Amino acid sequence: MEQRRAQHLYLRTGFGESLEKVRSALSLTRSEVLNEIIDASKTCSNLLIVPSDYYLKANKKNASVEERKAIGKIQNEYNLNLNLSWISKMCTSEETLREKMTLLWHGHFACMDDNPMHAQNLNNTIRQCALGKFSDLLVAVSKEAAMIQYLNTRENRKASPNENFAREVMELFTLGRGNYTEADVREAARAFTGWNYDEAGTFKFHEKDHDTGIKEVFGKRGNFTGEDILSLILERRECAAFIAGKFYTWFVNDTPNKEMIAKISKDFYESGYDILHVLKKLFNSEVFYNEANLGVKIKSPIELIVSTARMLKLEYTNPFPLIYVQTAMGQHLFNPPDVAGWKGGQNWIDSTTLLYRLNLADKIMKATDVKITAKPDNDSIDKRDVEDLQKMNNLSVSFDRNNMMDLLAGKQYEEIKKELCSFLFQIKDFSEISSSIGTLGEKSFTQKEFKELCVRLMSFPEYQML
Amino acid sequence: MTSALAFAPGFLKGSSGKLFTGEENKHVVVVQLTGGNDGLNMVVPFRNDIYYSLRPEISVDSKSVLKLNDDLGLNPLMNGIYTLFQEGRGCLINNVGYPNPDHSHFRSMDIWHSASGSNNYIQSGWLGRYLDENCEHDCHPYNAIEVDDTLCLALKGEHVKGLSVKSPDQLFSSAGNKNIASIHLADHLSKNNNLDYLYKTLSETESSVGYLKKQKDKSHVHAEYPKGQFATNLQRIAQLIGADSDIRIYYVSLTGFDTHVNQIERQNKLLGELSEGISAFMNDLKTCGKENEILMMVFSEFGRRVKQNASNGTDHGTANNVLLFSGDLKQKGVYNEPPDLRKLDDGDLKFTVDFRSVYATVLRKWLGANDRTILGNTFETLNFI
């Protein structure tokens, strides 16, 4: 397949690949490369940062003030490492489609829990179900301790219903606004009463809190349970349409294509919400590879951080500053702005974030100070810890695995520049950029010049696109 | 105004050389309380039995409130704001909301940001459209500044977007990078809408950075502020106002008001931060003779249910109060009737003042702008200014 379309496939289904890997795809067909990508994601490896007996050590009941502080510190460290280990996984894993889908669902089922065990469990559940049936994913996510905590399902009891989860599950996770009524929300909330979890973070149904009365949802009456409500939601085609729209805008183009979304939606519904089934069709479609859909999406901050590492085969050897890099660009993993997740597209961009993004390649390649005054965007992070962390704001990066110099050896500067432009940019015509950079003159082309050229190119807005 | 023109030659192209129509030297500072502030525990109906019976665990003791009149009193942690009210620099509007209120944070915030009704969707913000409407010739992101990491919908117009600046130094050094400074910006036009958007934003950013640099050099510290990000943000705004900046809109948020569980401790901490920050800000501006030039409006996307929930918190509600501060208020203190807890709408407060009436008043009477065009409809104006 053609180089730009191979890069497109790698960038959209994952986080981009090295020049070496892109070149090896050139002798294969589109479907061969796609099959490789899908096969590589058949396995699933979880994040294993927080031990399963965490809750025994982190029990704040009967703990002294000092002990509580210590527990808080451990909690923060786990949360930090959880974030960084996921970034690292995205940078190195072969299960790229699975990780990309985990990232999609992480924003879709936006949730925040200070408890790192809950956060890890939810993330792994999403990862396990990421490519299976959406129905399984929805039920599993709804029963995760993190979600029950975040949307107050735990406080939703027969005597005092709390509508938070019932509302958000319809508005943001399945149907979208306009496809349910206020009455549906209130009645569904009654059905979710009794949903709870134990100290190990395992789902528990508390029968005494459950409202066993008749509820009326979507015009149907019955003594519904929470599971029944999720089934009633999934029976509605609006749910398939809502998720299909998400797939299209996430993988193809920010501007919805109604006809294509209708096709995906129908397929999705009729296949019993089979995620991989519809994705495979989408990635094999002509629409996916259409010129109008190449290089037209703005990289999310995580896509920018991860694809830079994957494409250049570099490793973040001191990854701690990446927490601040995420915050500054507006996408801090495990800390979505709200339950609606990150809006994406042009919403990533304003004057401040754009400047930060354009500067990022320079900071990464030169391993300089990432200079951010981050405010804690999560109540659990102690201000003092943040200050400690800010001292560690020098990114350090290893280029040991980068073999682009070897791949481009023997070529003239102009040719190298052209090769780099076609590799780093997904736009069709980069002649203006290429000519604005000028020539190297008589100087020899060393590792240093190579890096400088990369930084120069990666500072163009075109590098922000995928 | 003149000083601003010197740094922005683009403005001189027009006949009058004036950037904005309407009132000169009038600025609006919007304070957004994110998450749905519980207005009933901020401004307490301390003689209302219904309030106390519906909130057995989380009501504010009538003896401790800071009385504004016979019915309403401020939360005892708001001494700073209470003093501003006593000095005639504060105004409270009760029961502000809109028809068919939405209980979703995001949708309700969108409604407040875009000034839409609850049944229509507008993709631009009311202050962004003020920029659109009032730029006679050319407009720049810096005319509306949000002190934050990201820019909210309220400041996004159809043609002009405001600028979000949390740390000016970080902004200046980013813009100064030689690789970026050398990018050719003129007339970038491709068929790629998102890419063009990046180029357009970059070009606007560069001119704004230049302007803010000059203003920063002119500013100086006037007063002491309490610790914390919110007060620091207000201090930055005061410095820019002190330097006679051509910035019409300032926007700042305080977050964490979504108090479904154990509300009291959390909300009290936030109300204290709010009160101390605003009081320091207003006093700072008074000292430098600017307090008649600014109007501050404090709002939240909705109030909360009157009845507490079982977790010692409150769920999403509807109508809420809006606070206004200025040295130049026409009506001071409590503007209208207190919330009527006997006449609830399915457990929620009923609105009596449309939030767009507040916006229309700010736009027309304070900024001298065409509120009808900006809001797309006519709303009755109020008499607080």
Side-chain angles (χ1 to χ4, degrees):
Chain A
M1 66 187 299
E2 180 209 342
Q3 179 174 343
R4 195 154 67 102
R5 285 181 166 75
Q7 290 170 179
H8 175 71
L9 181 61
Y10 283 135
L11 280 164
R12 297 286 178 97
T13 64
F15 304 92
E17 295 294 357
S18 67
L19 182 59
E20 194 177 13
K21 186 148 185 184
V22 167
R23 282 185 173 181
S24 71
L26 301 183
S27 57
L28 303 173
T29 66
R30 288 175 183 180
S31 61
E32 281 170 342
V33 182
L34 177 60
N35 285 339
E36 272 185 15
I37 290 170
I38 289 173
D39 284 347
S41 281
K42 283 197 169 142
T43 51
C44 174
S45 55
N46 284 340
L47 290 179
L48 300 170
I49 296 296
V50 191
S52 55
D53 63 349
Y54 168 81
Y55 69 96
L56 296 174
K57 297 174 202 155
N59 192 345
K60 285 187 186 174
K61 268 184 203 161
N62 308 322
S64 68
V65 176
E66 282 307 306
E67 283 165 339
R68 274 164 185 264
K69 268 192 177 173
I71 291 169
K73 203 156 179 127
I74 292 169
Q75 175 179 312
N76 290 346
E77 270 170 35
Y78 276 132
N79 279 323
L80 181 70
N81 286 323
L82 196 59
N83 178 303
L84 296 175
S85 72
W86 189 15
I87 299 261
S88 162
K89 187 189 260 305
M90 287 188 267
C91 290
T92 56
S93 171
E94 295 302 311
E95 298 159 359
T96 52
L97 177 58
R98 186 173 292 280
E99 290 308 315
K100 187 68 169 248
M101 286 306 290
T102 307
L103 184 61
L104 182 156
W105 298 127
H106 181 72
H108 181 82
F109 294 109
C111 180
M112 201 153 77
D113 194 327
D114 297 345
N115 182 320
M117 187 179 71
H118 292 176
Q120 178 176 280
N121 288 347
L122 173 61
N123 194 260
N124 285 334
T125 292
I126 285 176
R127 182 172 286 102
Q128 294 285 348
C129 302
L131 293 163
K133 295 277 171 91
F134 177 73
S135 35
D136 296 337
L137 175 66
L138 176 65
V139 174
V141 163
S142 303
K143 291 186 169 181
E144 276 296 329
M147 195 56 85
I148 289 176
Q149 175 277 132
Y150 186 55
L151 293 179
N152 306 109
T153 319
R154 208 175 193 185
E155 286 83 30
N156 181 24
R157 300 191 184 110
K158 186 179 178 179
S160 54
N162 184 312
E163 294 162 14
N164 211 5
F165 177 73
R167 179 183 310 284
E168 309 306 11
V169 76
M170 293 188 206
E171 178 187 341
L172 299 163
F173 299 165
T174 59
L175 296 172
R177 286 184 52 77
N179 293 316
Y180 55 88
T181 64
E182 276 299 308
D184 289 333
V185 169
R186 291 191 184 203
E187 292 288 286
R190 292 174 54 216
F192 288 111
T193 49
W195 281 30
N196 216 312
Y197 57 87
D198 64 16
E199 59 174 351
T202 312
F203 178 80
K204 289 280 176 268
F205 179 64
H206 288 186
E207 199 151 8
K208 64 174 172 41
D209 295 328
H210 183 66
D211 181 341
T212 53
I214 299 291
K215 299 112 190 164
E216 184 173 336
V217 181
F218 309 139
K220 293 183 180 164
R221 288 170 56 84
N223 171 19
F224 298 131
T225 62
E227 289 88 343
D228 293 335
I229 300 296
L230 297 180
S231 298
L232 287 173
I233 289 173
L234 290 160
E235 274 174 26
R236 301 188 50 190
R237 286 185 176 267
E238 290 91 338
C239 176
F242 186 69
I243 305 298
K246 197 121 195 179
F247 287 162
Y248 184 84
T249 49
W250 175 265
F251 285 111
V252 185
N253 196 311
D254 293 349
T255 311
N257 171 336
K258 278 188 185 158
E259 200 187 322
M260 190 68 185
I261 291 171
K263 257 166 95 177
I264 302 169
S265 167
K266 186 168 181 283
D267 227 9
F268 197 35
Y269 191 80
E270 285 167 6
S271 67
Y273 288 98
D274 189 329
I275 300 164
L276 185 60
H277 171 76
V278 291
L279 290 186
K280 200 170 168 177
K281 275 197 163 179
L282 179 64
F283 299 143
N284 267 321
S285 71
E286 274 308 310
V287 170
F288 179 70
Y289 287 106
N290 192 308
E291 181 61 43
N293 294 322
L294 300 189
V296 293
K297 279 186 65 77
I298 298 170
K299 288 174 184 166
S300 69
I302 297 298
E303 285 170 327
L304 185 63
I305 293 167
V306 174
S307 66
T308 299
R310 280 193 91 94
M311 287 166 66
L312 298 177
K313 286 185 135 182
L314 53 84
E315 188 190 343
Y316 297 111
T317 44
N318 173 20
F320 292 103
L322 291 178
I323 295 287
Y324 301 109
V325 176
Q326 293 171 58
T327 309
M329 295 193 292
Q331 191 182 25
H332 182 186
L333 291 178
F334 295 98
N335 294 273
D338 51 47
V339 64
W342 295 279
K343 282 184 184 167
Q346 292 186 358
N347 292 294
W348 295 124
I349 304 301
D350 59 63
S351 297
T352 321
T353 58
L354 179 61
L355 280 181
Y356 197 86
R357 282 165 165 259
L358 299 178
N359 272 281
L360 189 63
D362 194 27
K363 290 178 195 299
I364 290 173
M365 303 287 273
K366 290 188 186 151
T368 52
D369 197 330
V370 291
K371 272 192 193 131
I372 310 158
T373 318
K375 73 171 172 194
D377 52 4
N378 173 332
D379 289 345
S380 75
I381 295 176
D382 189 294
K383 285 210 171 73
R384 185 173 33 81
D385 290 339
V386 170
E387 279 164 20
D388 277 354
L389 281 171
Q390 274 172 348
K391 287 175 198 151
M392 299 192 288
N393 66 357
N394 267 323
L395 264 177
S396 71
V397 176
S398 154
F399 288 88
D400 294 351
R401 291 172 56 244
N402 184 299
N403 57 353
M404 286 165 75
M405 281 286 278
D406 302 335
L407 293 173
L408 300 168
K411 295 189 192 259
Q412 294 299 309
Y413 179 73
E414 280 303 311
E415 222 177 316
I416 291 175
K417 202 164 71 177
K418 207 177 145 200
E419 288 262 12
L420 279 179
C421 284
S422 353
F423 177 61
L424 294 170
F425 301 141
Q426 281 301 93
I427 51 158
K428 198 172 187 180
D429 178 16
F430 45 76
S431 54
E432 205 176 307
I433 294 180
S434 184
S435 62
S436 79
I437 288 199
T439 55
L440 190 67
E442 295 300 307
K443 276 196 284 179
S444 63
F445 198 66
T446 63
Q447 179 85 26
K448 183 167 170 277
E449 272 91 36
F450 174 73
K451 273 195 195 175
E452 266 170 25
L453 180 58
C454 285
V455 168
R456 190 76 199 278
L457 294 173
M458 290 159 79
S459 304
F460 279 96
E462 280 76 358
Y463 181 66
Q464 304 297 320
M465 310 298 295
L466 62 74
Chain B
M1 270 308 193
T2 4
S3 59
L5 289 170
F7 308 125
F11 300 160
L12 295 169
K13 285 179 214 152
S15 51
S16 71
K18 224 172 80 176
L19 174 57
F20 283 97
T21 56
E23 299 296 316
E24 289 191 34
N25 300 327
K26 293 282 182 190
H27 315 275
V28 173
V29 182
V30 178
V31 177
Q32 173 181 307
L33 309 180
T34 312
N37 176 37
D38 181 23
L40 285 171
N41 274 13
M42 176 171 83
V43 182
V44 183
F46 64 91
R47 285 170 61 166
N48 193 314
D49 294 340
I50 304 173
Y51 167 76
Y52 288 101
S53 69
L54 290 178
R55 295 187 165 196
E57 275 105 12
I58 62 160
S59 57
V60 180
D61 184 356
S62 62
K63 290 193 273 307
S64 70
V65 299
L66 309 167
K67 287 174 192 164
L68 295 176
N69 63 17
D70 290 342
D71 299 306
L72 299 172
L74 289 171
N75 186 297
L77 285 143
M78 299 174 69
N79 249 313
I81 284 182
Y82 181 59
T83 308
L84 294 176
F85 269 89
Q86 286 183 314
E87 294 166 352
R89 296 196 276 165
C91 175
L92 161 75
I93 307 180
N94 296 299
N95 313 315
V96 184
Y98 53 89
N100 305 314
D102 201 297
H103 288 85
S104 148
H105 290 292
F106 328 104
R107 180 59 189 144
S108 195
M109 192 60 95
D110 273 358
I111 289 168
W112 276 84
H113 281 167
S114 63
S116 72
S118 62
N119 297 320
N120 60 328
Y121 294 83
I122 301 177
Q123 300 294 327
S124 61
W126 71 290
L127 294 167
R129 292 197 302 275
Y130 161 72
L131 292 182
D132 287 343
E133 161 75 17
N134 269 277
C135 290
E136 240 179 46
H137 319 293
D138 229 350
C139 233
H140 291 263
Y142 66 75
N143 297 135
I145 299 266
E146 177 168 11
V147 190
D148 207 332
D149 279 327
T150 53
L151 193 70
C152 70
L153 178 64
L155 299 178
K156 292 177 183 172
E158 284 170 24
H159 308 290
V160 192
K161 265 190 192 178
L163 178 69
S164 69
V165 191
K166 184 138 166 226
S167 152
D169 290 337
Q170 186 192 316
L171 180 71
F172 300 158
S173 80
S174 305
N177 180 307
K178 66 172 170 29
N179 287 334
I180 293 164
S182 65
I183 294 171
H184 186 59
L185 292 172
D187 304 324
H188 186 94
L189 257 188
S190 63
K191 278 183 190 160
N192 189 331
N193 173 37
N194 278 337
L195 181 60
D196 288 346
Y197 183 74
L198 298 186
Y199 271 93
K200 177 175 164 273
T201 306
L202 183 58
S203 161
E204 290 168 351
T205 306
E206 292 201 347
S207 69
S208 291
V209 165
Y211 179 73
L212 288 179
K213 264 189 186 165
K214 306 273 186 205
Q215 293 309 105
K216 192 174 183 238
D217 293 344
K218 282 164 62 180
S219 75
H220 44 272
V221 176
H222 298 286
E224 288 284 319
Y225 278 74
K227 282 199 166 62
Q229 190 67 53
F230 178 67
T232 306
N233 291 346
L234 287 177
Q235 185 174 29
R236 289 201 172 123
I237 293 173
Q239 286 170 1
L240 285 165
I241 293 171
D244 292 320
S245 302
D246 189 18
I247 299 168
R248 285 309 186 91
I249 312 293
Y250 296 91
Y251 205 101
V252 63
S253 303
L254 181 61
T255 65
F257 286 94
D258 195 16
T259 48
H260 287 281
V261 180
N262 295 333
Q263 168 171 316
I264 290 193
E265 190 189 359
R266 181 125 159 243
Q267 197 203 12
N268 281 357
K269 183 176 159 284
L270 290 167
L271 291 179
E273 204 176 340
L274 178 76
S275 173
E276 285 168 31
I278 289 178
S279 142
F281 176 78
M282 291 301 293
N283 290 333
D284 186 5
L285 290 185
K286 190 177 186 184
T287 312
C288 60
K290 294 279 182 191
E291 71 158 354
N292 289 359
E293 292 181 15
I294 71 106
L295 174 67
M296 177 183 271
M297 180 187 94
V298 185
F299 83 100
S300 190
E301 71 268 35
F302 46 59
R304 305 191 78 85
R305 284 274 157 87
V306 181
K307 187 176 188 227
Q308 72 167 83
N309 64 22
S311 337
N312 289 336
T314 45
D315 291 333
H316 303 179
T318 52
N320 204 0
N321 36 43
V322 163
L323 299 175
L324 297 145
F325 300 97
S326 174
D328 194 15
L329 290 171
K330 200 163 132 195
Q331 188 165 337
K332 299 153 190 180
V334 181
Y335 183 85
N336 55 350
E337 79 287 353
D340 187 346
L341 303 190
R342 290 164 310 172
K343 291 181 188 160
L344 297 181
D345 181 5
D346 212 357
D348 283 325
L349 295 176
K350 285 183 180 171
F351 86 100
T352 57
V353 177
D354 194 300
F355 75 105
R356 290 161 294 187
S357 273
V358 181
Y359 287 2
T361 311
V362 172
L363 290 167
R364 193 197 304 179
K365 293 190 173 177
W366 191 259
L367 293 167
N370 185 336
D371 56 300
R372 206 190 130 77
T373 326
I374 294 168
L375 300 176
N377 214 330
T378 308
F379 294 93
E380 186 194 346
T381 53
L382 310 176
N383 295 316
F384 57 86
I385 42 174

